[in-house]
Amino acid sequence: MFAAALVALAIPPLLNAITPEGHFLHVSAFTLSLYGKYLCYSVLALGINLLWGYTGLLSLGQCLFFALGGYALGMHLMLLIGKLGQYKAEIPDFMVFLEFPARFPTTGGLPPHWIPFRSFAFASAAVIWVPGLVALVFGWLAFRSRIKGVYFSILSQALTYAATLMFFRNDFTFGGNNGLTDFKVILGHDINTPATRRALYLASAGLLTLTYLFCRWLSRTKFGLVQRAIRDSENRVLFSGYATSHFKLFVFVVAAVIAGLGGALFVPQVGIINPSEMAPEKSLEAVVWCAVGGRASLVGPILGAIGVNALKSYATHAFAEQWPYLLGSLFVFVTLFMPKGLVGLPDQFRALQRKWRKGVSNP
Amino acid sequence: MAFLPSITKELRPGPVKDWSPALAAILLLVLCLVQAAAAATTPAPSSARSTLARVIFSPDISEQATLLRGLIGSTDPGVEAVLTAWRGGSLFVHDNPDGSQTAFLLDPTTDGDGHAQGLSILDDQPIPGPDAKPLLFSPSELTPADTTAKLRKAIKNTLDFMALGNPDPRFRKDAVVKLGQERNLEYLPLFEARAREEKDPEVSRRLAEALALTRTASPDPAVRVPALRTLGELRSVTSLSFLQSFEKKLRDGPTPPNDESLLAVHKTVLDIETYQQRGNLIGTAFRGFSLAAVLLVAALGLAITFGLMGIINMAHGELMMVGAYTTYVVQNLVRSAFGPSGLPLETYFLVALASSFVVTAAVGLILEQGIIRFLYRRPLESMLATWGVSLLLQQVFRHVFGAANVQVGSPSWLSGSLVIQDVLFAYNRIFVIFFAALIVLGTWSLLTRTSVGLQIRAVMQNRAMASTLGVRTDRVNMLTFAYGSGLAGMAGACLSQIGNVGPGLGQNYIIDCFMIVVLGGIGNIFGTVTASLGVGVTDQILQPWLGAVMGKITVLATIILFLQWRPAGLFVTRSRSLEG
Amino acid sequence: MTQARKQFILALEAVTKSFDGFKAIHDLTFYMDEGELRVVIGPNGAGKSTMLDLITGRTRPDRGRIEFGRDIDLTRLNEWQINRLGIGRKFQTPSVYTDHTVFENIWLSLEGARGILDCLFARVDSAQKDRIHDLLSTVGLQERAATKAGSLSHGQKQWLEIGMLLAQNPKLLLVDEPAAGMTDEETHKTGELLLSLAGKHSILVIEHDMTFVRQIARQVTVLHQGSVLCEGTVDEVQADEKVIEVYLGRGKRHPPTTNEP
């Protein structure tokens, strides 16, 4: 099963490489990046599932961490544009446009905290520690004061809302509402060639596989047992001598790092990162991918993320006006009728069948 | 002699003319003419109109200025219209076949090709062509009558003086303020005359201010110093910037530190600044309270449903939107039934408030019965489901009413502001504050004074116990949810009087509402009230320093930190049940 | 008193706790000897569960001292820290991990390291396996080791929770109404189990069922309105005027007779 999934993951880049353009089996670089985007979303969904499905913590701010990871790598990519930009300046275009040279004269217009992002290694590390740190601080505050349930959800939503407002500001030095875009190169390769696209896709597939394996491993350890025990009866765990707040904080930080990694690979494939990517509604949407696929299962979130996003890509082209209806109904339908998501459907059918048989045998 | 010294000074080279005392007499005469003409209400069009024509065609700018002066007495509204048009560049000149010229304005009604008749300024009649039919002009082909900056200023000045005689006190007030700012001693007799006639208290106050301000230009300290003091007594905020620069000029100059003018102006500036700061403080407090009231009205329904059922209704904002659109629909219905003005439109808002409560309560009822009651044991999932509902509602309204904002008018008693000591209190915001108080009182009485309220509180405190004691908890849930939704609807109706009404209306307030509920604690109205006040006032205090966005972020951060200290919010009804 | 205090495992002195003005615990002073089996009874609202909450760190007292063993101040510690000292608590309503198997339930409760890293790399070794199976046979659930706890009967869940408590090997067991929802036979077995544990462990039991109290109790403490009304043997307590007044004076609720179900 797992091997089959791996093979399926490898097919699109293979088709892109070996079939000529126009061939009926050809997968264009654009489509490949679209699939790559789904894979990054799947990584995000696995992180959400780790929190919600396994620990019972519904964070409505996971896209903040996704976007933070994206921004961290995006900053590096922005600096790589160099003189290839519109203004032919050393610094990113938006900095010229917003007159940063006057604001930061000593660095030629580059805000000081941008400077280390020239290094790919630093940016990659930031993809991990920036979301991790934000999650650590927020989680520490939240869990030590025993904030849980809907309170936690609402506060995480407020966090991502506040961050969105912040990033929308031009003087926050991250490009305001346009965000970071127009990337040209990554690691010395033109970002738009099919070969780079294939590499990025494969990196996403690799990340997804690793994340999946990590989650699978985690769920089978004693830690995984504690995690689910917290979800089902936190007080019992607490009165059994486990520092539940530490466990929750650990999971929260891990989920944030996972989201950040997903976001980092999302950015070069989609070509833009802006504050709307961390808006509260994005995080809610991501939670619904999990719900649709089936939370508290390892495959469910991946199925949900790919399924819902494929549907969205199709729907926003075919009937854009109706997409919000579809999405809204999905939220309602899944929570009411598919509490275990797609993965839980067979069980639900079996239960129905049993009920029906009973009904037939004793009328 | 000239009536408009500042202009003529510039126009006429040579020594500045000594303004004879006759000037004042003439001004008075002019003023009397204005009054007399206004009293008689018989316009004297021909003379004024022909003077007007002479002004327009005079080649000599000083003559123009003199003639303009003569127009001040005219009560013919046409004169003002022509002068305004001239200054704005929409007065045109037609060359008649006989070599004479006619100044004209374009008729605002145009034909299919965009051509319009030219209405002569002499008689407002169309200019006839050779065939005696009205001539048609194309606006794009016309060039406006010549003006210079100086001339335009003279016209403006004339218009201001004309406005002094305007029957509408608002125009008089504006004119007085503007003329006062010029600090022209020549205007003094005019102000004095006007002050004797003036009945409107606000205009009288402005006249006193203008008089004092003008007198500060006097070279005679015996006039200047009392005038400076008067400005302080009048708390003249409008003259503050002048006074500040005046004080600076005196200090920078060779004035001795104990100069009477300097002392007077110093005290006056201090007085006015203190007064202004107090005004700002009151203004901030008022804005804070009104924001708090808006948030309170919006959050109260949410707090009730959350307190009772432990679920957060993410569609609460959209219920507010439903209320706002209900107001819009009621307004349109009233308009189409009773016409665009009159008593029905003045009172429609009260009907709309009631309707929005009913409509939204109905929507809430359907929501509770259709979705939420299946999710009571799953609060996290109920958030998702209600979020889905909010998406659906938004899209429905976008479909029906369009994505753009709709126009909801305010009845006249809700528009405008009450001005007390230079602080503005907008009527709509005053209304919201009172309304919020009313809703809180109503809800509080409902909860504490009625049997339904007793049942609601019983369910809030111990659902299982209440259920075994015969409280129909499902019915209580349903009614409470409907009530909370109805409150959201009324909140939406209120918001339609304050901000824009569009499909995204709810989203602007929802996160603030959530924060207030979290901050206020579960199941306590006074917690919600306190939290609203805290958030609203803090927001308004922070905004001038940090800007709207950073202010909001600071409030959010403060709330998160506050919860470290009191994790369950400000007030919490402690339950003694074990699995809390 | 100070000399005798050395052997106390638990000491509450002048403890007061109020909720919104309601004094759930009022000036409560209570001592327990090491190895003692003590039963606390009292009408509803007497503050029995709040007392356990205070001991286990679920709530903090407004005033007073709570000490465990030799001078460990419990009022400064939180739930998991208190548990790690060796104080185990069984809740009134059975609280087990419904999604986990019976075996996993016990494994999670087994005494030992409880840090994040420990949990990430922990394995069940054979000694632990034996211990778990011993515990399961003690509580009569060895046949159900692989069953999900959620599908056990109410009584079995109670037993499982007792097993989880034993797995922690606590010095002090706090047991809140263990007999609730059990059959007479199960109740009797529970009583025997508790009696067999006494001596090795100190046990504090809160109970309503007087048959059960009579079976296990040597020393009974009666709580009323948040403080101790009287202490003594079952017979002494049942004959006490004040106790009868408290139970009967409140109407028909729970007079402490042995006939009560």
Side-chain angles (χ1 to χ4, degrees):
Chain A
M1 190 62 179
F2 182 64
L6 280 185
V7 171
L9 270 181
I11 290 174
L14 203 66
L15 288 179
N16 173 269
I18 58 170
T19 58
E21 237 170 283
H23 190 275
F24 76 104
L25 280 176
H26 183 73
V27 174
S28 73
F30 174 80
T31 314
L32 199 61
S33 286
L34 189 68
Y35 293 165
K37 183 174 97 171
Y38 298 163
L39 298 184
C40 294
Y41 279 150
S42 303
V43 172
L44 170 66
L46 277 176
I48 291 174
N49 185 41
L50 210 53
L51 273 174
W52 184 33
Y54 286 113
T55 327
L57 287 169
L58 178 59
S59 161
L60 296 181
Q62 285 312 98
C63 280
L64 168 62
F65 306 119
F66 187 77
L68 285 179
Y71 266 99
L73 192 74
M75 284 163 79
H76 176 67
L77 298 181
M78 279 314 262
L79 293 174
L80 288 182
I81 298 173
K83 296 214 164 143
L84 298 172
Q86 296 266 306
Y87 289 103
K88 317 274 179 239
E90 278 294 343
I91 54 173
D93 284 350
F94 80 87
M95 296 189 186
V96 182
F97 179 71
L98 295 173
E99 297 175 347
F100 274 26
R103 234 178 104 184
F104 305 98
T106 49
T107 55
L110 201 62
H113 55 273
W114 272 72
I115 294 169
F117 283 88
R118 289 217 172 94
S119 142
F120 179 74
F122 182 89
S124 314
V127 163
I128 293 169
W129 70 256
V130 172
L133 187 69
V134 174
L136 187 73
V137 172
F138 178 78
W140 184 74
L141 288 173
F143 298 133
R144 83 176 262 281
S145 55
R146 304 266 170 100
I147 289 169
K148 49 184 145 187
V150 287
Y151 275 71
F152 179 76
S153 306
I154 288 176
L155 283 178
S156 61
Q157 188 183 32
L159 172 77
T160 190
Y161 177 62
T164 312
L165 291 180
M166 239 8 181
F167 273 83
F168 266 122
R169 288 165 59 93
N170 280 334
D171 54 6
F172 196 54
T173 73
F174 296 101
N177 59 349
N178 295 321
L180 312 176
T181 186
D182 278 339
F183 311 125
K184 306 284 189 220
V185 277
I186 181 167
L187 289 171
H189 300 280
D190 183 337
I191 206 163
N192 290 317
T193 60
T196 317
R197 298 272 158 177
R198 279 197 298 275
L200 286 167
Y201 173 91
L202 286 174
S204 312
L207 176 67
L208 179 61
T209 313
L210 285 177
T211 313
Y212 171 82
L213 289 175
F214 172 78
C215 290
R216 195 172 72 168
W217 169 75
L218 195 68
S219 73
R220 290 173 184 181
T221 62
K222 191 176 178 189
F223 184 94
L225 286 181
V226 176
Q227 228 185 321
R228 274 166 283 156
I230 289 174
R231 176 193 65 193
D232 295 339
S233 178
E234 182 168 353
N235 275 335
R236 178 76 266 174
V237 186
L238 199 56
F239 284 103
S240 301
Y242 293 93
T244 53
S245 53
H246 299 183
F247 281 76
K248 290 196 280 189
L249 184 57
F250 181 82
V251 178
F252 190 53
V253 172
V254 166
V257 170
I258 290 176
L261 289 168
L265 279 173
F266 169 88
V267 166
Q269 297 188 80
V270 175
I272 182 167
I273 178 79
N274 60 27
S276 69
E277 211 58 51
M278 59 173 83
E281 51 267 29
K282 288 274 179 180
S283 296
L284 274 153
E285 251 187 81
V287 167
V288 160
W289 307 336
C290 270
V292 169
R295 65 206 168 87
S297 84
L298 289 162
V299 211
I302 303 177
L303 277 182
I306 295 178
V308 175
N309 281 296
L311 182 67
K312 183 179 185 175
S313 299
Y314 165 73
T316 43
H317 278 118
F319 40 87
E321 284 268 292
Q322 273 71 33
W323 168 244
Y325 287 127
L326 198 63
L327 185 66
S329 315
L330 205 62
F331 270 89
V332 178
F333 184 83
V334 167
T335 40
L336 281 184
F337 302 109
M338 288 168 53
K340 301 208 160 147
L342 289 172
V343 173
L345 276 185
D347 274 349
Q348 270 184 299
F349 276 125
R350 270 197 290 278
L352 265 181
Q353 226 171 11
R354 266 202 300 277
K355 222 176 181 179
W356 185 74
R357 275 206 200 120
K358 251 189 199 166
V360 171
S361 57
N362 359 292
Chain B
M1 49 138 259
F3 173 61
L4 301 165
S6 60
I7 304 156
T8 42
K9 241 189 255 178
E10 290 156 9
L11 296 179
R12 286 190 197 163
V16 176
K17 204 173 172 194
D18 178 30
W19 306 104
S20 68
L23 174 84
I26 288 177
L27 281 172
L28 276 178
L29 185 70
V30 166
L31 205 68
C32 291
L33 275 176
V34 175
Q35 305 289 328
T41 63
T42 38
S46 55
S47 69
R49 294 296 179 101
S50 56
T51 316
L52 198 54
R54 280 172 58 204
V55 179
I56 294 166
F57 296 116
S58 165
D60 177 12
I61 199 153
S62 61
E63 192 196 349
Q64 281 179 317
T66 321
L67 289 170
L68 272 172
R69 250 176 5 250
L71 285 172
I72 287 171
S74 163
T75 50
D76 178 0
V79 174
E80 211 180 316
V82 170
L83 286 177
T84 312
W86 192 12
R87 184 162 162 264
S90 50
L91 178 80
F92 309 100
V93 177
H94 174 65
D95 294 312
N96 294 322
D98 59 3
S100 68
Q101 289 183 313
T102 310
F104 67 94
L105 303 176
L106 276 182
D107 190 345
T109 51
T110 53
D111 67 7
D113 303 324
H115 297 295
Q117 297 177 2
L119 304 176
S120 163
I121 62 154
L122 289 172
D123 46 12
D124 291 338
Q125 293 307 311
I127 301 173
D131 52 357
K133 275 189 188 162
L135 275 177
L136 288 176
F137 299 91
S138 164
S140 53
E141 290 161 14
L142 291 169
T143 40
D146 274 349
T147 51
T148 59
K150 286 166 191 166
L151 184 60
R152 278 198 298 278
K153 187 147 191 253
I155 297 171
K156 177 74 186 88
N157 229 321
T158 311
L159 283 170
D160 282 343
F161 274 105
M162 290 175 83
L164 272 188
N166 194 299
D168 187 336
R170 277 179 300 179
F171 285 98
R172 294 206 296 275
K173 191 187 98 182
D174 289 348
V176 170
V177 172
K178 264 182 238 155
L179 293 168
Q181 297 281 349
E182 292 188 19
R183 297 179 64 239
N184 191 324
L185 288 168
E186 307 306 330
Y187 299 170
L188 280 176
L190 190 79
F191 289 147
E192 280 159 356
R194 184 67 232 176
R196 280 193 292 277
E197 300 286 331
E198 187 55 59
K199 297 280 189 295
D200 185 274
E202 177 63 18
V203 181
S204 294
R205 197 182 103 84
R206 294 295 175 182
L207 274 167
E209 208 177 304
L211 274 168
L213 190 58
T214 308
R215 283 191 184 121
T216 59
S218 166
D220 178 7
V223 177
R224 195 170 64 212
V225 173
L228 285 171
R229 292 204 181 110
T230 311
L231 281 178
E233 283 152 20
L234 287 171
R235 303 281 184 264
S236 168
V237 175
T238 39
S239 24
L240 181 63
S241 62
F242 155 72
L243 289 167
Q244 281 164 336
S245 58
F246 188 67
E247 185 186 359
K248 191 170 180 303
K249 209 171 77 192
L250 283 182
R251 277 191 198 289
D252 294 346
T255 328
N258 59 350
D259 178 79
E260 249 193 296
S261 298
L262 182 58
L263 293 176
V265 78
H266 181 68
K267 181 172 182 318
T268 297
V269 165
L270 277 184
D271 281 355
I272 299 176
E273 276 173 353
T274 317
Y275 172 77
Q276 202 178 28
Q277 274 160 14
R278 204 190 59 188
N280 283 343
L281 201 69
I282 296 172
T284 306
F286 176 70
R287 281 191 302 277
F289 273 100
S290 73
L291 178 63
V294 171
L295 292 175
L296 177 59
V297 174
L300 191 63
L302 191 70
I304 290 172
T305 49
F306 181 52
L308 185 77
M309 306 162 186
I311 60 141
I312 285 278
N313 177 13
M314 301 278 271
H316 190 79
E318 279 56 45
L319 292 176
M320 279 154 61
M321 175 198 74
V322 171
Y325 273 100
T326 307
T327 310
Y328 171 69
V329 170
V330 169
Q331 168 202 258
N332 288 358
L333 288 177
V334 169
R335 262 196 198 148
S336 59
F338 300 100
S341 62
L343 187 67
L345 219 65
E346 287 295 301
T347 47
Y348 96 90
F349 184 63
L350 298 177
V351 181
L353 262 182
S355 321
S356 51
F357 180 85
V358 173
V359 170
T360 330
V363 175
L365 201 82
I366 297 168
L367 183 61
E368 202 273 341
Q369 284 295 297
I371 295 173
I372 290 173
R373 74 189 166 112
F374 303 109
L375 297 171
Y376 279 129
R377 294 190 167 274
R378 299 189 282 153
L380 297 182
E381 272 113 314
S382 70
M383 287 178 90
L384 297 184
T386 48
W387 171 260
V389 171
S390 94
L391 286 181
L392 290 173
L393 280 175
Q394 276 182 51
Q395 191 63 9
V396 166
F397 278 77
R398 214 170 274 139
H399 251 157
V400 176
F401 294 98
N405 291 336
V406 295
Q407 291 303 315
V408 179
S410 295
S412 63
W413 53 278
L414 278 180
S415 24
S417 307
L418 181 68
V419 185
I420 301 173
Q421 301 202 326
D422 293 297
V423 188
L424 296 177
F425 299 91
Y427 287 122
N428 52 9
R429 298 203 169 255
I430 296 175
F431 173 78
V432 174
I433 292 176
F434 276 104
F435 188 69
L438 203 69
I439 283 187
V440 169
L441 263 179
T443 307
W444 182 75
S445 332
L446 180 83
L447 284 178
T448 54
R449 297 268 184 276
T450 66
S451 67
V452 179
L454 187 69
Q455 296 190 358
I456 292 176
R457 282 183 297 141
V459 176
M460 260 188 198
Q461 277 165 27
N462 193 333
R463 178 172 293 266
M465 184 70 90
S467 174
T468 52
L469 291 176
V471 177
R472 288 176 57 192
T473 53
D474 51 347
R475 199 169 133 262
V476 169
N477 285 344
M478 188 177 85
L479 292 179
T480 314
F481 199 86
Y483 180 72
S485 306
L487 286 186
M490 289 207 283
C494 281
L495 290 178
S496 76
Q497 296 300 308
I498 287 175
N500 294 326
V501 176
L505 174 127
Q507 295 300 308
N508 298 333
Y509 295 92
I510 193 68
I511 291 196
D512 284 327
C513 288
F514 288 163
M515 289 296 103
I516 284 166
V517 170
V518 169
L519 193 58
I522 302 175
N524 188 314
I525 292 186
F526 295 100
T528 314
V529 173
T530 319
S532 307
L533 278 175
V535 171
V537 175
T538 316
D539 189 84
Q540 288 301 316
I541 291 174
L542 290 179
Q543 253 192 39
W545 292 350
L546 300 172
V549 173
M550 283 311 287
K552 207 170 187 117
I553 291 169
T554 314
V555 170
L556 287 176
T558 316
I559 290 172
I560 291 176
L561 289 177
F562 177 82
L563 290 174
Q564 295 305 302
W565 175 50
R566 301 197 86 151
L570 284 165
F571 298 97
V572 57
T573 322
R574 196 74 85 134
S575 127
R576 292 203 309 115
S577 73
L578 206 83
E579 288 297 319
Chain C
M1 187 61 89
T2 38
Q3 281 207 327
R5 260 193 60 196
K6 293 290 176 202
Q7 65 191 44
F8 290 146
I9 184 139
L10 182 69
L12 282 77
E13 288 175 351
V15 175
T16 297
K17 174 73 194 175
S18 52
F19 298 107
D20 296 330
F22 169 76
K23 279 198 173 158
I25 294 288
H26 181 61
D27 201 21
L28 173 71
T29 299
F30 175 91
Y31 300 102
M32 230 182 101
D33 292 334
E34 198 150 353
E36 190 188 346
L37 195 167
R38 175 78 66 94
V39 180
V40 173
I41 64 169
N44 272 344
K48 301 182 302 278
S49 292
T50 309
M51 179 176 150
L52 293 196
D53 285 350
L54 287 167
I55 297 168
T56 52
R58 192 181 161 91
T59 47
R60 289 179 197 286
D62 302 331
R63 267 200 310 279
R65 295 147 59 84
I66 304 176
E67 281 179 10
F68 177 63
R70 280 165 200 257
D71 304 325
I72 299 173
D73 182 2
L74 293 185
T75 59
R76 294 169 181 281
L77 303 176
N78 61 34
E79 296 96 324
W80 56 269
Q81 287 166 328
I82 290 175
N83 178 275
R84 286 187 192 179
L85 291 174
I87 299 181
R89 177 174 180 180
K90 191 204 156 299
F91 284 95
Q92 194 171 338
T93 46
S95 105
V96 295
Y97 311 128
T98 49
D99 216 29
H100 292 7
T101 64
V102 168
F103 183 92
E104 286 166 343
N105 265 279
I106 302 281
W107 185 35
L108 282 182
S109 311
L110 222 49
E111 62 187 311
R114 281 179 170 22
I116 291 174
L117 284 177
D118 305 314
C119 290
L120 283 175
F121 303 106
R123 302 244 156 172
V124 194
D125 56 34
S126 57
Q128 280 182 323
K129 223 174 245 172
D130 291 347
R131 175 94 207 284
I132 293 170
H133 283 294
D134 281 354
L135 282 163
L136 285 179
S137 62
T138 311
V139 293
L141 287 171
Q142 67 271 52
E143 304 294 311
R144 313 298 298 266
T147 318
K148 281 206 171 173
S151 54
L152 295 178
S153 73
H154 187 81
Q156 283 173 323
K157 281 183 191 159
Q158 295 275 45
W159 277 103
L160 175 59
E161 204 186 347
I162 292 173
M164 290 161 72
L165 202 60
L166 295 179
Q168 296 168 23
N169 196 20
K171 294 188 191 116
L172 172 64
L173 277 88
L174 307 170
V175 190
D176 201 349
E177 301 202 22
M182 283 189 172
T183 63
D184 284 354
E185 194 195 342
E186 283 171 336
T187 307
H188 188 72
K189 267 169 72 186
T190 309
E192 284 184 344
L193 177 70
L194 289 175
L195 282 172
S196 73
L197 292 171
K200 278 179 285 177
H201 309 265
S202 312
I203 306 173
L204 193 162
V205 183
I206 286 179
E207 195 42 80
H208 272 306
D209 183 340
M210 287 310 288
T211 318
F212 183 65
V213 172
R214 197 162 260 290
Q215 180 195 352
I216 61 170
R218 297 157 197 178
Q219 196 75 359
V220 176
T221 300
V222 184
L223 279 195
H224 176 55
Q225 291 179 352
S227 40
V228 175
L229 191 69
C230 79
E231 266 181 13
T233 63
V234 182
D235 291 328
E236 282 167 11
V237 164
Q238 270 182 311
D240 191 292
E241 290 286 324
K242 282 183 293 181
V243 177
I244 294 167
E245 164 72 25
V246 163
Y247 275 91
L248 298 180
R250 285 166 58 91
K252 292 174 271 311
R253 296 184 65 83
H254 302 299
T257 59
T258 34
N259 298 334
E260 207 212 12

